[in-house]
Amino acid sequence: MVLPGLTPAICYVLLYTVFSLGDLFMPPYTLLQTLIVVAALFSGGWSVSAASASLQQLKASCEEGAATECLTLGELYLKGEGGQPDASLAVTLFRKACDGGNLDSCNDLGAMYFHGTGIAQDFGQAASLYQKACDCGSMAGCSYLGEMYAMGIGVTQDEEQAATLFRKACDGGHAAGCSTLGIMYGNGTGVVQDLGQAATLFRKACDGDDMNSCNYLGGMYGKANGVVQDFEQAATLFRKACDGGSMDGCSYLGAMYAKGIGVAHDTGQAVILTRKGCDGGSTAGCSNLGWMYSEGIGVVQDAGQAVTLFRKSCDDGNAAGCGNLGEMYANGTGIAQDAEQAIALYRKACDGNSVGGCTNLGVAYETGFGVKQDTAEAIKLFKKVCDLKDQSGCDKYAKLKEGRP
């Protein structure tokens, strides 16, 4: 069983199309969000009786030196199949399997060290185990080690080395490695920026069923980053991601239905997909669903419900959700008007690279809403919006800087 390893890293700003839905497609750039998870946590469940019978067979085989059986046994103990979970015993079994040449076990043991599960946390030891797995041919191990070099966790930070490892993983058929390398090309991190190469890598990863890469590539088609703009292709990719279990993919597709971009306008379908995304944990989905309630699109207009959804999205880290919630406070819609709270939320959204959040904060400084009027600060904020590839921000920046009415 292959360790899922790190979550898709470096959330890349692939598409900043600001409808009233906020920052519609991809969340803002953040360098690597590390979450190493042991494969056993994702493996199919066993019935207690089946697990009990199998435990005896696996124990016998493991004691005879069968590394694969030691790995499986460790996974069962980690999950507590057929009994109570025993992470410490799982560590022992993963170590035995790793020493016996099972590379998936080396990766799993690395994850245990990374999280401090069943053993004292030790990032250096985790990196050593991923290095061993990588050197012996585990492309997943190369990818996980690349993540650690990119973040400087357990090793000295080295983005070029990270890119080298992701390239090795990708060339070896590891879709997540292709995805992360694509992100690095998209941002010029550890490599020379090349959006065309990023798109190629996302395509390869998407074809390998990395659903996050399907979303990234869909975003690029929507914004014409490294590819010719093609909204229908974007919708196709988001649909694939949604069908493959990506709740963000469902949310982005729902937004396209809401606006009739790349698909026929269908508010009913938009609500279904957006709600599915939100219920499944997509912060973008909750923000977009909040917008639909605020405007009465496909649902009965309900400002209070919109506030609830924007707050949920913001609390869970979605910058656009914070910006949308700020607008509700600014206008006193669905909640008591509070300019100070609106400014705080705009600032939080802008810190997360939300085009809408930065724009509204800039307008506040330009007009003196909730803050002391400060034209220089407004210019700075509109410049940031422009840098985020939003033309209206560029227009505001140029107008204010030149002193035009």
Side-chain angles (χ1 to χ4, degrees):
M1 183 171 293
V2 178
L3 176 72
L6 306 168
T7 55
I10 317 175
C11 296
Y12 172 36
V13 181
L14 295 168
L15 184 53
Y16 253 117
T17 306
V18 185
F19 305 125
S20 299
L21 293 167
D23 303 326
L24 175 59
F25 294 105
M26 292 307 302
Y29 175 97
T30 308
L31 177 70
L32 293 180
Q33 300 172 4
T34 359
L35 178 61
I36 301 176
V37 183
V38 178
L41 301 179
F42 288 85
S43 61
W46 293 42
S47 67
V48 173
S49 59
S52 298
S54 297
L55 279 174
Q56 300 308 314
Q57 299 170 1
L58 291 169
K59 284 178 181 177
S61 297
C62 180
E63 287 172 1
E64 293 174 0
T68 300
E69 281 70 13
C70 291
L71 167 63
T72 304
L73 188 61
E75 291 173 345
L76 289 172
Y77 276 112
L78 184 62
K79 291 184 70 177
E81 298 283 4
Q84 293 297 315
D86 190 335
S88 295
L89 182 53
V91 166
T92 299
L93 290 161
F94 290 152
R95 190 184 309 281
K96 182 174 182 178
C98 178
D99 291 344
N102 185 288
L103 302 183
D104 289 342
S105 295
C106 298
N107 288 327
D108 278 4
L109 183 59
M112 302 291 274
Y113 271 109
F114 187 93
H115 282 296
T117 303
I119 198 166
Q121 189 174 52
D122 188 333
F123 294 130
Q125 186 62 22
S128 294
L129 285 158
Y130 292 140
Q131 183 75 64
K132 176 180 178 178
C134 178
D135 290 345
C136 293
S138 168
M139 296 301 102
C142 297
S143 188
Y144 309 149
L145 183 61
E147 296 275 6
M148 299 192 80
Y149 271 105
M151 280 293 288
I153 297 177
V155 293
T156 301
Q157 188 173 29
D158 186 336
E159 291 172 344
E160 290 185 6
Q161 178 64 9
T164 297
L165 287 160
F166 292 137
R167 182 172 287 105
K168 180 177 179 180
C170 180
D171 291 345
H174 192 253
C178 298
S179 180
T180 313
L181 184 59
I183 292 166
M184 297 187 83
Y185 270 105
N187 290 280
T189 305
V191 294
V192 176
Q193 188 176 41
D194 185 335
L195 294 178
Q197 182 65 13
T200 297
L201 287 160
F202 289 142
R203 170 69 67 186
K204 182 175 181 179
C206 179
D207 289 344
D209 290 335
D210 183 284
M211 295 304 135
N212 288 290
S213 292
C214 298
N215 285 329
Y216 298 153
L217 186 58
M220 296 186 82
Y221 273 107
K223 190 63 176 178
N225 281 340
V227 293
V228 176
Q229 191 170 52
D230 186 335
F231 289 121
E232 290 184 3
Q233 181 65 14
T236 297
L237 287 159
F238 292 145
R239 190 182 307 281
K240 176 176 179 178
C242 179
D243 290 345
S246 168
M247 295 299 100
D248 280 338
C250 298
S251 300
Y252 307 149
L253 182 60
M256 297 189 82
Y257 272 107
K259 302 298 293 188
I261 296 176
V263 292
H265 182 250
D266 186 335
T267 57
Q269 187 66 12
V271 170
I272 290 170
L273 286 162
T274 307
R275 192 182 304 281
K276 177 180 179 180
C278 179
D279 291 346
S282 169
T283 60
C286 293
S287 180
N288 290 345
L289 187 60
W291 171 79
M292 298 176 87
Y293 272 103
S294 72
E295 300 295 321
I297 294 177
V299 293
V300 176
Q301 190 171 33
D302 186 336
Q305 181 66 10
V307 167
T308 297
L309 287 160
F310 289 147
R311 193 180 305 283
K312 173 178 171 59
S313 176
C314 180
D315 289 347
D316 288 341
N318 185 278
C322 296
N324 288 336
L325 182 59
E327 289 190 34
M328 303 297 274
Y329 273 106
N331 296 319
T333 306
I335 198 165
Q337 189 174 42
D338 187 333
E340 184 177 346
Q341 185 65 15
I343 295 301
L345 286 160
Y346 289 155
R347 195 177 307 282
K348 182 176 181 180
C350 185
D351 288 345
N353 288 343
S354 163
V355 165
C358 292
T359 298
N360 286 337
L361 188 59
V363 171
Y365 274 104
E366 182 184 8
T367 61
F369 172 79
V371 292
K372 182 179 179 180
Q373 189 175 23
D374 187 336
T375 301
E377 184 65 17
I379 290 173
K380 179 181 175 182
L381 287 160
F382 292 141
K383 172 66 163 58
K384 179 173 181 177
V385 176
C386 184
D387 290 342
L388 289 170
K389 311 301 182 186
D390 181 77
Q391 186 56 48
S392 66
C394 297
D395 294 341
K396 288 182 175 66
Y397 169 67
K399 178 181 175 181
L400 204 57
K401 188 175 182 182
E402 295 168 9
R404 290 186 278 115

